[in-house]
């Protein structure tokens, strides 16, 4: 997955190894919470995804508790991003 946070508070996320999927949207930070709202999510009236995050050097760790409507069960997603 490639995730680019731009200085104008937009992002681009590209994922997939066989079929690529691209998502664009807006991001914002409040304290240690990162909110990402995809363009399609915003059009659908959804609030986006909220992560607790920390940055150490070139590494950002994001933790998200996924709740409905994104899934029918609650689960924790943790990923680590490295600045390129």
């Amino acid at each position: 997955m490639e995730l680019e946070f731009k200085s104008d508070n937009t992002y681009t996320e590209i994922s997939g190894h066989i079929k690529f999927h691209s998502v664009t949207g807006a991001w914002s930070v409040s304290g240690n919470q990162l909110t990402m709202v995809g363009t399609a999510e915003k059009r659908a009236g959804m609030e986006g995804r909220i992560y607790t995050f920390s940055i150490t050097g070139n590494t950002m760790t994001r933790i998200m508790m996924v709740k409905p409507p994104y899934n029918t069960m609650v689960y924790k997603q943790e990923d680590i991003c490295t600045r390129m």
Side-chain angles (χ1 to χ4, degrees), residues 44-76:
M46 300 171 89
E47 295 178 14
R49 295 156 283 147
I50 299 174
Y51 299 86
T52 300
F53 78 101
S54 63
I55 296 176
T56 304
N58 286 351
T59 303
M60 176 173 67
T61 302
R62 300 183 306 163
I63 299 172
M64 176 176 66
M65 294 301 293
V66 181
K67 301 175 185 177
Y70 300 103
N71 202 327
T72 57
M73 59 185 234
V74 176
Y75 68 94
K76 177 181 174 181

Side-chain angles (χ1 to χ4, degrees), residues 8-50:
D8 65 354
N9 287 76
T10 62
Y11 71 89
T12 302
E13 181 179 324
I14 301 171
S15 60
H17 63 283
I18 296 172
K19 183 178 179 183
F20 288 100
H21 177 73
S22 179
V23 175
T24 59
W27 65 269
S28 62
V29 169
S30 178
N32 69 340
Q33 289 193 329
L34 168 67
T35 301
M36 298 174 65
V37 183
T39 304
E41 292 171 317
K42 188 173 184 175
R43 278 195 306 265
M46 300 171 89
E47 295 178 14
R49 295 156 283 147
I50 299 174

